[in-house]
Amino acid sequence: MESKIAKRKIPTTQEELPCVGIGTWQTFDVGSSDAERNPLKEVLQKFIENNGSVIDSSPMYGASEKVVGDLSQELKINNKLFIATKVWTSGEEAGIKQMNDSFSLLKRDRMDLMQIHNLMDWQTHLKTLRKWKEQGKVRYIGLTHYTDSNHDTVASVIKNNPVDFIQINYNLLDRHAEEKLLPLAQELKVAVIINRPFEEGALFGRVKGKALPEWASEFDCTSWAQLFLKFILSNPAVTCVIPGTSKITHLLDNLKAGVGKLPDSTHKKKMIELIG
């Protein structure tokens, strides 16, 4: 890529992260054969070569954690990744065991970001994670969800409990988060990772057979994927967006969304009208 991906600061520390990362739901849930893993190995190699670092996983995502751990170790890039994963179970002991398993699978003795997946038993896990952060076992702690109906709960939790990150759903078809949750995260100085950036492919369905509008070039946009991601990144509350992919062409296209100009309010209005 001609230019480096823009970086954004984590509010609690001012550490900078590249604004486009990789999600591993479905795409990294593969077996152990070379045929299944080699394409993902190439994706990770290109990701690092093009200044990417943020990769997000979960025990919920099948073999994804193991695949990320194995391949990043084989490539000797594990320490170059900002690895985020999640706890997705109930009970203190079960949570501790699951998180320790994730450390093992991801080949880490220190996790960059540990998140409570879909707020499951969040009160219990938050206590554990606070201790682990104090001990240096995790660098950052956070919460995740993927449905609009839970945004109010996420908002309530972060108002009353200090966390470093939230991970939520937001895209051109689903803009609910920009009403309250994204402004609140910005106000409270909480970093935001965005999942479901393409609304599980529905956005591409809306533009199938359509040419990219000429005005997209005004914010350095050359593809529909970049347009969808740049819309998200134009929100100042967003720290990083994590589209999932297992293909190098898609990876490189996605990463370009983090390069160059972003749409202004006039562009965004046009985008919303275009998608309908």
Side-chain angles (χ1 to χ4, degrees):
M1 283 168 64
E2 293 174 18
S3 305
K4 287 190 175 183
I5 309 165
K7 292 186 173 184
R8 297 191 174 181
K9 290 178 180 177
I10 301 169
T12 52
T13 62
Q14 302 302 297
E15 178 184 353
E16 293 186 329
L17 289 182
C19 66
V20 181
I22 296 179
T24 60
W25 182 62
Q26 293 186 325
T27 50
F28 276 68
D29 182 16
V30 300
S32 56
S33 71
D34 287 347
E36 289 172 291
R37 289 191 173 202
N38 282 346
L40 297 173
K41 197 171 182 177
E42 291 173 16
V43 162
L44 285 179
Q45 183 66 56
K46 282 288 179 192
F47 184 54
I48 288 294
E49 286 174 7
N50 286 278
N51 307 298
S53 70
V54 181
I55 188 158
D56 177 79
S57 196
S58 170
M60 185 190 184
Y61 303 165
S64 296
E65 288 181 312
K66 179 171 173 51
V67 172
V68 170
D70 289 350
L71 296 183
S72 62
Q73 191 173 57
E74 286 171 31
L75 290 164
K76 297 181 172 58
I77 60 166
N78 188 283
N79 64 342
K80 295 179 181 178
L81 293 171
F82 182 97
I83 298 181
T85 193
K86 309 180 185 83
V87 55
W88 183 61
T89 188
S90 293
E92 182 183 7
E93 290 307 314
I96 289 169
K97 182 185 184 304
Q98 188 180 72
M99 289 191 283
N100 281 329
D101 287 346
S102 293
F103 276 74
S104 176
L105 291 167
L106 287 160
K107 317 294 187 193
R108 279 294 181 93
D109 52 18
R110 192 183 193 208
M111 199 64 66
D112 294 301
L113 169 60
M114 185 64 80
Q115 306 154 103
I116 301 166
H117 197 131
N118 296 350
L119 297 171
M120 184 179 279
D121 199 5
W122 65 267
Q123 295 98 328
T124 301
H125 302 317
L126 203 51
K127 287 176 188 170
T128 302
L129 287 175
R130 281 205 192 105
K131 287 179 198 165
W132 283 15
K133 188 179 175 184
E134 285 170 14
Q135 294 163 3
K137 191 168 180 176
V138 297
R139 298 176 60 222
Y140 298 102
I141 59 179
L143 313 162
T144 81
H145 221 290
Y146 69 100
T147 63
D148 295 349
S149 59
N150 282 279
H151 286 181
D152 284 348
T153 308
V154 174
S156 174
V157 174
I158 66 173
K159 274 181 188 173
N160 298 294
N161 301 272
V163 297
D164 303 294
F165 278 81
I166 57 170
Q167 182 187 136
I168 53 165
N169 54 302
Y170 175 55
N171 59 61
L172 192 46
L173 266 179
D174 180 5
R175 303 189 301 278
H176 183 266
E178 67 190 24
E179 293 170 20
K180 288 193 293 187
L181 189 50
L182 287 172
L184 178 66
Q186 193 172 19
E187 179 191 329
L188 296 175
K189 296 183 167 41
V190 176
V192 179
I193 295 174
I194 298 297
N195 58 38
R196 297 168 65 97
F198 301 135
E199 191 64 9
E200 296 191 323
L203 275 164
F204 292 107
R206 290 286 181 105
V207 298
K208 194 172 181 182
K210 291 183 182 179
L212 194 68
E214 285 185 16
W215 44 262
S217 65
E218 294 170 16
F219 49 91
D220 302 318
C221 176
T222 59
S223 74
W224 284 114
Q226 290 170 37
L227 185 142
F228 302 146
L229 295 172
K230 279 177 177 276
F231 174 84
I232 293 166
L233 290 169
S234 67
N235 190 302
V238 172
T239 311
C240 180
V241 60
I242 49 167
T245 187
S246 57
K247 298 186 171 118
I248 285 180
T249 51
H250 292 169
L251 170 77
L252 295 176
D253 191 22
N254 293 341
L255 290 176
K256 283 178 186 172
V259 175
K261 297 174 189 171
L262 290 170
D264 60 23
S265 56
T266 304
H267 293 133
K268 289 170 77 172
K269 192 175 177 185
K270 287 182 180 179
M271 292 161 132
I272 291 165
E273 287 170 359
L274 186 70
I275 294 302

